[in-house]
Amino acid sequence: MYRAPINEIAFTLKEVAGLKQLQGLPGNEELSEDLVDAILSEAAKFAEEEIAPLNRKGDLQPAQLVDGAVKTTPGWKECYTNWYQGGWNSLTGSPEFGGQGLPNMLHVAVMEMWNSGNMAFTLGPTLTIGAVEALEKHGSEYLQSTFLPKLVSGEWTGTMNLTEPQAGSDLSALRTRAEPQPDGTYKIFGQKIYITYGDHDMTDNIVHLVLARLPDAPAGTRGISLFVVPKYMVNADGSIGAQNDVRVAGVEHKLGIHGSPTCTMVYGDEGGAIGYLVGEENRGLACMFTMMNNARLAVGVQGVGIAELAFQQALAYALERKQGKAPGAQDEGMSAIAAHPDVKRMLLSMKSKAQVARAICYACAHALDMSKAAPDEAGRKFWTERAGLLTPIAKGYSTDIGVDVASIGIQVHGGMGFVEETGAAQHLRDARIAPIYEGTNGIQALDLVMRKLPLSGGDHVKAFIAELREIADQVAAENMPEMGSAGRKLRAAVNDLEEATLWLLEAQGNGQIAEAQAGATPYMKLAGLTLGGALLAKGALASKAEDELTRKRRVQVARAFAETELGETAGLKETVTESSQGILSVDIAEFA
Amino acid sequence: MYRAPINEIAFTLKEVAGLKQLQGLPGNEELSEDLVDAILSEAAKFAEEEIAPLNRKGDLQPAQLVDGAVKTTPGWKECYTNWYQGGWNSLTGSPEFGGQGLPNMLHVAVMEMWNSGNMAFTLGPTLTIGAVEALEKHGSEYLQSTFLPKLVSGEWTGTMNLTEPQAGSDLSALRTRAEPQPDGTYKIFGQKIYITYGDHDMTDNIVHLVLARLPDAPAGTRGISLFVVPKYMVNADGSIGAQNDVRVAGVEHKLGIHGSPTCTMVYGDEGGAIGYLVGEENRGLACMFTMMNNARLAVGVQGVGIAELAFQQALAYALERKQGKAPGAQDEGMSAIAAHPDVKRMLLSMKSKAQVARAICYACAHALDMSKAAPDEAGRKFWTERAGLLTPIAKGYSTDIGVDVASIGIQVHGGMGFVEETGAAQHLRDARIAPIYEGTNGIQALDLVMRKLPLSGGDHVKAFIAELREIADQVAAENMPEMGSAGRKLRAAVNDLEEATLWLLEAQGNGQIAEAQAGATPYMKLAGLTLGGALLAKGALASKAEDELTRKRRVQVARAFAETELGETAGLKETVTESSQGILSVDIAEFA
């Protein structure tokens, strides 16, 4: 049922998010528009024809633990095999290890399609990419030569083992132990929870990346090291060896993404799991952080994928389903519910939010790519900061959009939306994890406010706001009647964002840490709304070269978002700047 | 785990929603504070000890179809029997038929507790009350004497059969047929879907109220009649007779409220189900509408119940769970997550929204009660209009709050929230139906804007806004430092509500129906926010007589809601008054 919106995706890449800027830069010499279009079109085919048909199946026949091993949903192993053998896992991997070295921008575009097709399926490869990055940057030659080629190709998958029962958002509390061995390896002992695709039957081996503590490690986050712990040892000739002391002890029963096994992993129950140090001792968190931006962005893209899917399904239903008579309807009989103003409002809200999430995630990918490809040091610094600024917004705001849009999708379906058979409810259940994992959206908001606003002494975010203002001014200057009050709304939003930003910077400067933290979540929404409105407007302005229908749609979506969503920025600004005292004065335990 | 917030409930009844005004009025002579307190306290005990323990069980062992009959979750039949034998079903029923004749205000208060305890369980009796009202007002003497005593006591349950596959929000499309028989009964033929507790094993009989068309009925809604169709015929001596031609053909697999069987019912497969006309022929919808206000309010109360439950669970978790160090924390080690400003903000948001939904629903019940009890005609007219105005807000806004708060509850739990074992996810799944059934929230918003704003030529809503302004002025005049900027926020909200209201009235006056409809949903939220903020502030002002802690909490909640939520009213007002052109100009089919 899912149809990949290739035109929308290509347009957003090229005209909104900045792909053209990347073309021709070092490492992107072969990034022609033809190549982009060809990849998008092939990916669309695979997403629609092979991945999407398994989405409902994964929901109904979850991955499960059978005789101490995880059995995935029927058909998933075959689909995964076709997928990686088609070269889809190796898009971004380094050519040195068999990868295609393509930029993140292209990757998020195809990731969106995989996620629309089947988020639970796509989550597996998403984790592999994290492992690839960690090993590309921090792995020893042995680790790189032994594991990278098969992780890059997708012949093996990777996992990230961070969380323990007492250590979730706060990794300083983790207890898994690593004991150095005379041969240079380590023995790993401990339990990890919520390990995505911790076990499965789709590949011959699984490469676990595990955070653990050395015996003499300092307390807190400066005493954490990162290890590779393969499910099966690898022989010198590259063949699969003995089973390592790793086992899956349970699979969670979750609200959604049923097809994705969320495992409890036990290391070292029978004498110690053999692990290999990645990077330096006690520097494990730094290794993790190098891949955090990409992983967080990848979760943001899940929000995009679900929002697009939910929109497509709701629109199809609303055009088909007839109830009542829309005001002014000329036809005999009942109108399609899509013709009723209230339903049209819901559909436009879904469409515009999906496009906002897409534009933000793609812009974030662009910044990540530029942080590597920019020709000079100043440019790389600028784009590194920009990627840092955009990542929490891409992760936090896009995944909030995923949940929001999926919920509106249920509402458009009425009673049918609450019945699982329809499939609309699954989107909400699936989407609901994305604001939680890879750093909750509260953590994202804190990262945005406490770490990203202060970059370059606040100058970076100020420059960013100036860019948004330029777009707003341009919209206002063009004075297009069909854009309604979008220019005015956008200008007001930019002012609100600026005011809230300056307040937060000042609060931090004054050491009012709690005050700044209290406003973090409303600030993230304010930033997401304003950036989203600006990117939609940028797209509308850039669409003059498009055909009439395409252009009309871009203008309508940008206008609808500005006129129905941006009004919220004034209230959010006030919440950031005025509500912290009240919140902080509360002893919430008194409400128990 | 659930603890009924008796003090909050009693305070809201007495000091916020207007119970005192009702006391002593005709029909409420015995409504003493002692009686109220005694009933609340007994209900709390039953909700906590007998209903709540079955909530998770119903989720895990849904009602199911076995050999052509619905088998409910183990333990539900016993719980239901204890419940109705305890007199809980007959609270509001007319004394003439064995009811206790208590006001709606008391009923919504105990309904809140049943719903917090177990929404899926409580839904059954909620439907019975609808049947009781229909028969009390429109049933013949035969129907009243045969069915009412057992429906009032709860020995039998009732159902409402409206929806058909092609007729959901638009009942004019329904096709179920009724053929008059020589003996004055009718034979009913047709299929109904989404029939809550359409079949179950908790009682000896089920009394279906069924909408159907007579052979010569006019098309549309003026050709619909209402019938009683019992599952089993009733003999002249009141004993159970032969089985009627009614059967359950399926039970839906739903996102939530698994314990509540949602049935497809087939009438007349074997020659025709025997039915009895309720009220006049072709006047069935009018009969339905008389009970609509109460049923919609009852669904609003589900939002209250779930919000309260989700808040309690999230607060308990956040006080227990330790991660990181809150800013300024003096203790050794990690802080409870409740101490982190971002989590505190979430918890305050949950708490204040639950209290808002409660206050609105109770105020709506008060209006319904006053519409019967007011001593003069003008008073009854006023309160009838007030109930009409508040009902769509109580249903629409409170159920949106239920979903919102349940989703925040998941977020507070982090990864644990996505795991079904925790129970937090069930609240979201359960809550998600309430914005859909008994008239979707879009329908509620349209009812509010198109039917309720124009009451008394717009004068009623203007008087309502003036009352809200009085509260805002009072808060501002008291100038309490601990209320922060609540007075100012509330005044601004009232102004926004007024402006949007006048715009909508004018649009309708000008025949701009589509324009008014396009703004209906944001208007409903604007009205809910403003009313909610005003009722919380009213409670804060009225709490001077309370103990210090209680008073402090009321002030804190009112302030937090005003400072973190009311800022949105400006944007909503703009959306109502400025976005319709953009929305209506879109041909949404062009986005397919």
Side-chain angles (χ1 to χ4, degrees), chain B residues 422-447:
Chain B
T422 317
Q426 185 192 337
H427 307 326
L428 177 62
R429 291 190 288 97
D430 288 349
R432 193 61 192 80
I433 185 59
I436 295 172
Y437 58 19
E438 204 59 56
T440 65
N441 283 3
I443 296 283
Q444 303 301 322
L446 292 174
D447 176 56

Side-chain angles (χ1 to χ4, degrees), chain A residues 464-482:
Chain A
F464 169 70
I465 292 171
E467 288 174 38
L468 300 182
R469 175 165 287 123
E470 217 169 289
I471 297 173
D473 288 347
Q474 211 177 330
V475 179
E478 296 249 348
N479 204 13
M480 295 149 66
E482 67 270 33

Side-chain angles (χ1 to χ4, degrees), chain B residues 304-427:
Chain B
V304 182
I306 294 283
E308 175 65 33
L309 179 63
F311 167 68
Q312 289 191 14
Q313 184 167 344
L315 178 60
Y317 179 80
L319 290 171
E320 187 73 28
R321 172 78 172 168
K322 289 180 161 55
Q323 287 290 279
K325 223 177 175 58
Q330 303 298 328
D331 316 1
E332 286 283 310
M334 299 194 288
S335 309
I337 62 170
H340 289 277
D342 186 63
V343 177
K344 199 187 277 190
R345 187 191 48 71
M346 286 195 274
L347 292 168
L348 271 171
S349 169
M350 296 175 81
K351 171 71 190 170
S352 62
K353 286 173 181 166
Q355 176 59 8
V356 157
R358 174 180 294 122
I360 291 177
C361 285
Y362 290 12
C364 181
H366 170 253
L368 279 168
D369 288 331
M370 290 298 294
S371 73
K372 290 172 212 144
D376 55 39
E377 182 59 33
R380 287 190 292 274
K381 175 170 185 278
F382 175 87
W383 287 109
T384 300
E385 293 193 349
R386 178 57 55 90
L389 182 70
L390 294 185
T391 297
I393 304 173
K395 195 280 180 180
Y397 188 58
S398 302
T399 59
D400 281 344
I401 280 179
V403 173
D404 183 14
V405 170
S407 191
I408 303 174
I410 291 179
Q411 195 67 21
V412 169
H413 281 80
M416 296 279 287
F418 198 66
V419 173
E420 287 285 2
E421 203 184 346
T422 317
Q426 185 192 337
H427 307 326

Side-chain angles (χ1 to χ4, degrees), chain B residues 230-246:
Chain B
K231 178 179 178 181
Y232 291 99
M233 304 309 293
V234 181
N235 298 324
D237 64 355
S239 63
I240 297 283
Q243 186 155 2
N244 201 352
D245 185 5
V246 180

